[in-house]
Amino acid sequence: FQGIFVLGLPYALLHSGYSGLFLIILAAALCCYTGKILIACLYEEDEGGQLIRVRDTYEDIANACCKKLSPKLGGIVVNVTQVMELIMTCILYLVVSGNLLSHSFPYVPVTEKTWSVIAFVTLLPCVFIKTLKIVSKLSQLCSLVHFVIILVVMTYCLTQIHQWSWAKFRLSIDFEDFLVSVGVIIFSYTSQIFLPTLEGNMENPGEFKYMLNWTHFFACVLKTTFALTTFLTWGEETKEVITDNLPSFLQTLVNLCLLTKALLSYPLPFFAATEIVYACISRGNCSNYRSPLFALGVRGSFLLLTLLMAMFIPHFALLMGLTGSVTGAAMSFLLPSLFHLKLNWKKLSFLEKCADISIFILGFLCSLSGIVCSIKGLLEVLG
């Protein structure tokens, strides 16, 4: 929840004003609710009225909902959406790496895209990652670096408290910029693709709802605090990546820490995406698709794809907004509410049906409008 993408939240506040603070809170509440109903879709009642876990993954839920149309259709849709989100996340790490390096060494005559290529070279060993053991160790280091970054940025902002002014917040907002901000905020909360696995591995799955409540509550508090203090410090000068606003004596240090965090974060979504694709391809009986060489080819292809995409779309906030609008809204709002309605329609109360339908409509509208505005913004920037 507190990943590198919280760095885009102050920029989202710049374009959404007071409504951005409300959106951060609303997104936390809605994502918490959809996380619960997604997990509810894993269970069915037995003859004695006891809940039994009959499904294990997001894909299983989707297949159960679409089995009358096609036994595999739902799973294909979910897997494609998951892979898109994970690959877009990897692309964002490359984009932000290039951005951080270019701002850390402005005196070096190298473009931001070239810096992204240099960062990409350090990620080439990812093609040899076969298990989550290595990824988990990298993620531990990533978490430690993240705490250092947030501490440094927040400490500096608190030293500038005498410059804070609520007048920096906008009362009127540009609708298109606001919709891009919605995508950024939604993307900072996306976690639904990991929840079925997480719940299944809990020692006491009955405590899942409490865990979800507290994690979303603290995530909301921390995101709001970070976004608010940083925006009040820089106001209209807030940049896409908030660390670019830091004074030079801190910027290089924090940017290098962020670069380390981005590179350490890359393997997790990359590994997850390639495992989904490899599993889907190798389900057949053809032994060629299960060979180590083929797995290496899949990982290598995905690694190259993330670099090419990062070269074409080197804009952190706009790319983040587009990803949040496309996959974030689908995985966090659209699909959980749709699946919950489909699998539990007869057991849901009137209010629960209204809530699910409302979230589905809201997610659809946000997704559609966010996609249009993010693409328009990218086209304008790319000229």
Side-chain angles (χ1 to χ4, degrees):
F1 279 150
Q2 299 306 114
I4 198 170
F5 304 119
V6 298
L7 301 176
L9 289 180
Y11 187 75
L13 282 189
L14 172 64
H15 292 294
S16 57
Y18 284 102
S19 60
L21 294 175
F22 172 72
L23 280 173
I24 293 175
I25 299 170
L26 179 63
L30 293 179
C31 287
C32 183
Y33 174 77
T34 56
K36 292 176 184 177
I37 63 175
L38 179 67
I39 296 304
C41 293
L42 297 173
Y43 291 83
E44 286 188 4
E45 291 183 358
D46 61 9
E47 294 178 355
Q50 296 293 320
L51 289 176
I52 304 296
R53 201 176 202 263
V54 296
R55 304 177 187 96
D56 294 317
T57 65
Y58 212 138
E59 182 183 359
D60 291 340
I61 297 172
N63 283 331
C65 290
C66 300
K67 62 183 179 181
K68 290 184 178 179
L69 292 175
S70 172
K72 303 284 186 179
L73 178 62
I76 292 172
V77 172
V78 165
N79 282 333
V80 169
T81 307
Q82 285 186 97
V83 170
M84 281 180 60
E85 180 168 336
L86 292 166
I87 290 300
M88 291 292 271
T89 303
C90 292
I91 295 167
L92 280 166
Y93 284 133
L94 276 178
V95 170
V96 79
S97 295
N99 179 284
L100 292 167
L101 282 168
S102 66
H103 286 87
S104 299
F105 306 103
Y107 45 84
V108 178
V110 174
T111 65
E112 192 170 312
K113 290 183 179 181
T114 305
W115 280 122
S116 292
V117 175
I118 294 172
F120 169 79
V121 172
T122 67
L123 295 170
L124 289 176
C126 287
V127 297
F128 301 108
I129 295 177
K130 297 179 180 179
T131 67
L132 275 173
K133 289 183 179 180
I134 298 174
V135 177
S136 65
K137 292 177 182 178
L138 296 175
S139 296
Q140 280 185 319
L141 293 173
C142 177
S143 298
L144 292 174
V145 174
H146 181 76
F147 282 120
V148 172
I149 295 165
I150 297 299
L151 180 63
V152 171
V153 176
M154 291 289 288
T155 301
Y156 176 80
C157 289
L158 291 175
T159 64
Q160 306 298 310
I161 197 170
H162 59 280
Q163 298 181 2
W164 290 9
S165 172
W166 287 97
K168 294 178 180 179
F169 272 94
R170 295 183 179 186
L171 291 175
S172 60
I173 56 175
D174 182 86
F175 186 65
E176 292 187 3
D177 289 337
F178 170 76
L179 290 173
V180 174
S181 298
V182 171
V184 172
I185 292 170
I186 290 174
F187 190 66
S188 72
Y189 279 108
T190 53
S191 65
Q192 270 70 2
I193 60 175
F194 303 109
L195 294 185
T197 303
L198 177 61
E199 193 262 357
N201 284 278
M202 288 181 69
E203 186 175 333
N204 185 1
E207 296 180 348
F208 178 82
K209 291 183 178 180
Y210 300 107
M211 179 277 294
L212 214 59
N213 288 338
W214 283 108
T215 50
H216 279 80
F217 171 76
F218 283 116
C220 179
V221 170
L222 291 169
K223 288 178 193 294
T224 304
T225 303
F226 179 77
L228 188 60
T229 53
T230 49
F231 179 73
L232 287 174
T233 302
W234 287 291
E236 292 292 329
E237 297 178 1
T238 299
K239 297 181 180 178
E240 284 188 66
V241 183
I242 194 62
T243 52
D244 290 346
N245 287 102
L246 289 170
S248 56
F249 70 93
L250 279 178
Q251 188 178 119
T252 301
L253 171 64
V254 173
N255 280 354
L256 290 176
C257 287
L258 277 170
L259 173 66
T260 303
K261 176 175 172 56
L263 296 177
L264 289 171
S265 299
Y266 184 97
L268 178 58
F270 174 79
F271 178 81
T274 53
E275 283 297 294
I276 291 172
V277 173
Y278 181 62
C280 291
I281 295 175
S282 61
R283 278 176 189 163
N285 295 321
C286 184
S287 59
N288 292 332
Y289 290 147
R290 294 195 294 272
S291 68
L293 188 61
F294 179 74
L296 191 66
V298 171
R299 291 194 288 269
S301 300
F302 269 73
L303 197 67
L304 186 60
L305 174 65
T306 60
L307 174 65
L308 294 175
M309 290 295 290
M311 294 296 97
F312 283 109
I313 316 176
H315 296 281
F316 179 71
L318 288 172
L319 185 57
M320 185 176 168
L322 178 61
T323 305
S325 298
V326 179
T327 62
M331 299 300 288
S332 300
F333 297 144
L334 296 176
L335 296 181
S337 56
L338 182 62
F339 293 162
H340 194 229
L341 288 168
K342 172 68 175 177
L343 294 174
N344 299 281
W345 179 264
K346 294 181 180 180
K347 295 181 286 184
L348 296 179
S349 67
F350 176 74
L351 289 177
E352 288 175 321
K353 291 178 182 177
C354 289
D356 288 354
I357 293 171
S358 298
I359 290 174
F360 180 84
I361 294 173
L362 179 64
F364 177 78
L365 292 176
C366 288
S367 179
L368 182 62
S369 53
I371 290 169
V372 173
C373 294
S374 296
I375 292 177
K376 183 179 178 182
L378 284 169
L379 291 175
E380 288 176 356
V381 170
L382 295 173

